[in-house]
């Protein structure tokens, strides 16, 4: 029992199997016999044998020196794999049943066939395929065949001892199947290798190029080629390489550069390779926009535009557009154009280059602003002694106006954005050279503006003296530094204006009304204008004499002198003068009482009107005669029952008298004949008291009332003749 276990152990090596064998009473299966062993694949040998009864499987063993490879198979034939190509192996087989394994069969030698060549296939041209491989161990020759992958057409087969073979005259762009194997010295073929390879496409032809100058794109088209999967269009220049790819027969290349010459070619591609068009098409793009553009305005009114020459430019067109929309252009093969320009405009300038491909891209647009126009209608609206106001029409392009007034080395300047300027702090009676310059921020001042001369108004004269002469003329004297000025003196008061003029330094005012206050000023005038008035000097004329004067006898020794108001007079002095003496009155009223007058005397009446400042006007009048003296000794005598005689003693000188009797029964008057000193009144009622007054009568016929009155009683009894009873005396009323 112990011996059975060792055998098992030596054969099997597992104690469990050994126990089973010791316990079993069955025998191992028969040894199979190999009928044949052969190799059809380089890594395997196939074995054929007769079936062994009771065997459930078989163990195939391939031995190469110390290397052993075993494979269990179910039945004949069986194949041992994992072998080396072109190698001689000892092949044995054992049958296996539940009772165990049989002994190994007698060995049989078999050699594996050659390995399949490893192919490298390519299509060097549209009509050929190159097949390459590495040397195969023990191979003496190779067999390579080719046919369309779709099975159409004939099979071409070539034998060779080389390791490469080229099939030519193939169809372009066609998928082929290539099969190759090696054989040994006995002619036994080895494993074969199969692969597919497509021939390359044909080169594209009939290439057409259309250039879009606006977008700098080129549209390229061609005739489709068989077998091409896609196409690549290439545009090559000295400085750039551009391309586009497509599966169609046209493609657009973008981002072309101006002023560049491109070679356009088309590459057709499939999985076998590519084919480039035989000839390239030359494309010249539009020229680039001219650079280094310079703009000059010399002389004013002429623009010169210059630029640099550009590659591929055949000719140039320069466009000049003003900001009012007007555009002009110039076509030239040179690099300069001249244009007429106007002041105050902004010109937008662009230059294009042209060739057969079209117009160059838009380059930089330059703007050039000409100098602003000069004001041409400078008008002074106000010229004074120290100030000049001027206006002008707005001019194109001016953003600011600079006005300068030059007098020798003195310059006065004002800046403003409006077309007007007030130059102040000027010298009077001075000629200034005034220029208005227009200014813009871009171009600065237009220094070609013309100037004009404006002279300021004359200086104000200074009144030095105002005098009055004996003929009531007012002489005015002044001082001035003006050249060729006319002076006007004005006396202005409540009663109007009075003027006199002169080109010298004095003039005379006539006809100034009396009793007036005037303000006297002087003004100088030249063709440039009028000066400011001089400082005023007050002038007062003598007061006016009263228009009328009245002398009234108040009493025998008192007279009342009255007069109308004299303009400008504040007080009056009245003088009554005769050979016997003088009577004088000074008053601020318009009347005055003068006493101590001698009746029946001739007087001279004089009146002086005096102003508040003491100016006196002597007003002379005709002589005045005082009234006759009142008569004395007035008495009444009866002339009958109804008559009365009034008697008196005449005063000095000759005079006419008037007699008045006032009673309750009436008033009775009588006027004596010239030279008589009595007067008779008849038909006077008796039995009444009468007031009697005898008064001298003035030359004017005015009856004086200041003589004394006497009262008499006239009775109705007694003699009809005789004295009338005197009752008393009354004061004059």
């Amino acid at each position: 029992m112990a011996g059975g276990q060792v055998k098992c152990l030596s054969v099997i090596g597992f104690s469990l199997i050994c126990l089973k064998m010791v316990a079993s009473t069955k025998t191992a299966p028969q040894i199979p016999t190999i009928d044949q062993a052969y190799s059809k694949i380089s890594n395997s040998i196939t074995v054929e044998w007769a079936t062994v009864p009771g065997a459930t499987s078989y163990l195939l063993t391939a031995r190469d020196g110390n290397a052993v490879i075993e494979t269990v198979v179910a039945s004949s034939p069986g194949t041992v794999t994992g072998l080396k190509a072109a190698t001689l192996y000892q092949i044995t087989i054992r049958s296996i049943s539940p009772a165990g394994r049989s002994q190994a069969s007698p060995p049989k030698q078999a050699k594996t066939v050659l390995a399949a060549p490893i192919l490298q296939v390519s299509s060097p041209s549209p009509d050929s395929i190159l097949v390459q491989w590495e040397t195969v161990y023990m191979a003496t020759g190779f067999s390579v065949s080719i046919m369309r992958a779709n099975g159409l057409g004939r099979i071409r087969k070539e034998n060779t001892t080389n390791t490469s073979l080229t099939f030519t005259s193939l169809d372009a762009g066609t998928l082929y199947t290539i099969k190759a194997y090696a054989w040994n010295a006995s002619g036994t073929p080895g494993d074969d290798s199969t692969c597919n390879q497509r021939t390359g496409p044909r080169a594209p032809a009939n290439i057409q190029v259309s250039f879009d100058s606006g977008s700098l794109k080129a549209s390229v088209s061609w005739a489709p080629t068989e077998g091409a999967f896609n196409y690549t269009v290439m545009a090559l220049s000295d400085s750039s390489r551009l391309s586009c790819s497509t599966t169609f027969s046209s493609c657009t290349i973008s981002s072309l550069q101006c002023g560049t010459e491109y070679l356009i070619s088309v590459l057709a591609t499939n999985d076998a390779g590519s084919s480039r068009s035989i000839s390239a098409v030359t494309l010249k793009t539009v020229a680039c926009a001219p650079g280094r553009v310079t703009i000059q305005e010399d002389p004013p009114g002429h623009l010169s535009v210059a630029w640099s020459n550009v590659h591929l430019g055949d000719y140039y067109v320069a466009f000049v557009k003003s900001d009012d929309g007007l555009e002009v252009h110039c076509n030239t093969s040179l690099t300069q154009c001249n244009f007429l320009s106007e002041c105050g405009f902004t010109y937008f300038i662009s230059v294009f280059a042209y060739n057969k491909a079209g117009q160059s891209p838009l380059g930089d647009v330059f703007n050039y602003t000409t100098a602003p126009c000069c004001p041409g209608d400078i008008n002074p609206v106000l010229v004074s002694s120290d100030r000049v106001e001027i206006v002008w029409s707005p001019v194109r392009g001016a953003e600011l106006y600079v006005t300068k007034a030059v007098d020798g080395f003195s310059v006065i300047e004002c800046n403003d954005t409006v077309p007007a300027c007030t130059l102040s702090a000027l010298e009077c009676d001075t000629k200034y050279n005034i220029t208005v310059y227009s200014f813009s921020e871009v171009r600065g001042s237009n220094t070609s503006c013309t100037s004009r001369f404006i002279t300021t108004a004359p200086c104000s004269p200074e009144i030095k003296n105002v005098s009055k002469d004996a003929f009531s003329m007012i002489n005015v004297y002044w001082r001035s530094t003006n050249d060729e000025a006319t002076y006007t003196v004005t006396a202005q008061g409540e009663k109007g204006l009075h003027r006199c003029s002169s080109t010298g330094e004095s003039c005379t005012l006539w006809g100034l009304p009396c009793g007036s206050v005037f303000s006297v000023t002087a003004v100088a005038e030249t063709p440039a204008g009028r000066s400011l008035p001089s400082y005023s000097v007050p002038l007062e004329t003598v007061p006016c004499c009263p228009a009328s004067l009245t002398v009234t006898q108040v009493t025998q020794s008192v007279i009342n002198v009255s007069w109308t108001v004299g303009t400008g007079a504040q007080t009056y002095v009245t003088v009554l003068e005769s050979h016997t003496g003088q009577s004088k009155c000074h008053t601020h009223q318009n009347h005055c009482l003068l006493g101590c007058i001698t009746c029946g005397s001739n007087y001279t009446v004089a009146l002086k009107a005096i102003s508040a400042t003491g100016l006196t006007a002597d007003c002379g009048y005709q002589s005045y005669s005082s009234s006759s003296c009142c008569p004395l000794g007035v008495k009444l005598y009866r002339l009958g029952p109804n008559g009365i005689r009034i008697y008196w003693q005449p005063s000095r000188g000759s005079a006419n008298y008037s007699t008045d009797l006032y009673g309750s029964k009436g008033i009775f008057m009588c006027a004596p004949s010239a030279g008589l000193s009595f007067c008779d009144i008849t038909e006077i009622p008796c039995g009444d008291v009468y007031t009697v007054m005898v008064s001298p009568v003035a030359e004017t016929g005015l009856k004086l009332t200041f003589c004394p009155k006497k009262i008499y009683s006239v009775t109705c009894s007694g003699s009809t003749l005789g004295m009338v009873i005197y009752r008393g005396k009354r004061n004059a009323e």
Side-chain angles (χ1 to χ4, degrees), residues 510-522:
W510 297 80
L512 271 66
C514 58
S516 299
V517 176
F518 293 91
S519 176
V520 180
T521 58

Side-chain angles (χ1 to χ4, degrees), residues 325-347:
L326 182 64
E327 183 178 69
V328 295
H329 69 276
C330 144
N331 190 326
T332 180
S333 59
L334 305 176
T335 58
Q336 181 175 339
C337 275
N338 296 314
F339 299 91
L340 294 177
S341 62
E342 295 183 39
C343 59
F345 274 109
T346 296
Y347 292 94

Side-chain angles (χ1 to χ4, degrees), residues 341-410:
S341 62
E342 295 183 39
C343 59
F345 274 109
T346 296
Y347 292 94
F348 300 93
I349 301 166
S350 55
V351 182
F352 295 89
Y354 289 82
N355 59 19
K356 293 181 179 179
Q359 174 184 287
S360 68
L362 175 64
D364 293 331
V365 178
F366 299 88
N367 63 71
Y368 184 88
T369 302
T370 55
C373 299
C374 289
D377 56 347
I378 301 174
N379 295 311
V381 296
L382 173 64
V383 177
S384 67
S385 300
D386 61 349
R387 187 163 50 98
V388 172
E389 294 182 15
I390 56 176
V391 296
W392 56 88
S393 299
V395 295
R396 190 174 54 243
E399 299 172 355
L400 183 72
Y401 299 96
V402 178
T403 305
K404 292 184 178 181
V406 180
D407 169 30
F409 298 102
S410 174

Side-chain angles (χ1 to χ4, degrees), residues 199-224:
T199 53
R202 293 193 183 278
N206 194 22
I207 300 174
Q208 302 292 327
V209 179
S210 176
F211 178 67
D212 184 351
S213 61
S215 59
L216 289 178
K217 296 180 180 179
S219 179
V220 184
S221 63
W222 55 91

Side-chain angles (χ1 to χ4, degrees), residues 451-538:
S451 60
R452 64 169 297 176
F453 287 96
I454 297 178
T455 302
T456 54
C459 304
S460 298
E462 179 184 359
I463 296 178
K464 304 300 293 182
N465 186 30
V466 177
S467 65
K468 309 185 202 79
D469 61 14
F471 300 101
S472 298
M473 294 183 298
I474 307 299
N475 296 315
V476 182
Y477 301 89
W478 60 84
R479 180 173 62 85
S480 179
T481 59
N482 299 310
D483 295 331
E484 299 180 357
T486 299
Y487 299 89
T488 300
V489 175
T490 301
Q492 182 174 7
E494 294 181 355
K495 294 186 178 181
L497 298 175
H498 296 267
R499 292 187 176 91
C500 66
S501 297
S502 172
T503 57
E505 293 187 342
S506 67
C507 72
T508 302
L509 291 169
W510 297 80
L512 271 66
C514 58
S516 299
V517 176
F518 293 91
S519 176
V520 180
T521 58
V523 174
E525 186 172 3
T526 64
R530 291 171 61 89
S531 71
L532 293 173
S534 66
Y535 294 117
S536 63
V537 174

Side-chain angles (χ1 to χ4, degrees), residues 549-554 559-562 576 605 622 624-625 702:
L549 183 142
T550 303
V551 180
T552 304
Q553 192 89 29
V554 179
I559 65 170
N560 180 45
V561 182
S562 63
L576 194 65
V605 180
Q622 296 293 331
Y624 170 75
S625 296
L702 179 64

